[in-house]
Amino acid sequence: MSKGKMYVVSGPSGVGKGTVVKGLLEKYSEIFLSVSATTREKREGEEEGINYYYKGKQEFTDMIEKGEFLEWAKFCENYYGTPKKPVEKMLDAGKDVLLEIEIQGAMEVKKNFPESIFIFIAPPTVNDLLERLKGRGTEPEDVIALRVETAKKELGFAKEYDYIIVNDIVEKTVEDFISIITAERLKTERCIDELEVLK
Ligand code: 5GP
């Protein structure tokens, strides 16, 4: 059995990644979504082990030192990281894995696992993004300001990704995402060994 593929999805804060990923998993359940660890405060409605594993700074630093992360990054004053073990387990079992991570972490994955597939979700316009960030109402003013600055910088990294999807209509974005996964699964190198007619 061939190993699973790692899909990395990024996009600026406020682009609607969370909604896209949720929509994707509802329609396409054969992919494992990695749950990250973070030092940021839990937002209202979020749950431990579902949205994130919430860690103290020291605990997070210990995990870094023990090599427990596949990648990690500091983003807007907080730490975020992908726990290595569950991802490796899924890939070894032939299951595809999805990482929803920011750009520095994605670039780290690109360096260490270049065979992964990188998808960038872009907003239709910059204004769209600003409106969404301000309208979310989950963060104080200074946090929003930092996220807006970071988002503008992040847009410049789109060219590093294999695919870009403009998130105009969520349903369409999800469809595009599924098309990418489907095409990747149909690649000769991935399916030739299982091809009945060649056995
Ligand atoms: P938020 O605080 O809005 O949940 O996430 C902030 C940013 O951190 C988002 O761009 C999100 O994709 C990213 N992020 C979430 N988990 C990870 C992770 O494990 N590693 C990295 N590098 N970024 C992450």
Side-chain angles (χ1 to χ4, degrees), residues 2 9 11 21-22 24 27 32 34 42 50 63 87 98 111 117 119-120 126-127 142 158 160 164 177 186:
S2 63
V9 62
V21 167
K22 193 164 166 267
L24 173 74
K27 285 207 160 169
F32 168 77
S34 157
K42 198 195 273 180
I50 305 271
M63 287 175 79
V87 171
L98 178 62
K111 198 169 72 196
I117 294 132
I119 302 168
F120 190 88
V126 174
N127 229 6
D142 57 330
E160 303 293 335
I164 299 175
F177 210 132
L186 296 176

Side-chain angles (χ1 to χ4, degrees), residues 9-15 17-18 34-38 40-41 43 46 51-52 54 60 69 71-76 78-83 99-109 133 136 138-139 143 147 150 154:
V9 62
S10 311
S13 222
V15 78
K17 276 171 302 185
S34 157
V35 178
S36 300
T38 185
R40 91 140 157 73
E41 295 275 313
R43 286 188 196 134
E46 288 186 345
N51 302 93
Y52 283 107
Y54 300 90
F60 196 98
F69 289 121
E71 63 72 39
W72 65 271
K74 191 174 180 197
F75 177 86
C76 292
N78 283 302
Y79 290 90
Y80 296 83
T82 304
L99 310 186
E100 192 246 281
I101 62 177
E102 55 67 64
I103 281 140
Q104 306 163 69
M107 294 304 106
E108 195 64 25
V109 176
L133 269 176
R136 192 149 72 180
T138 47
E139 278 105 348
V143 174
R147 283 190 176 234
T150 308
E154 285 181 319

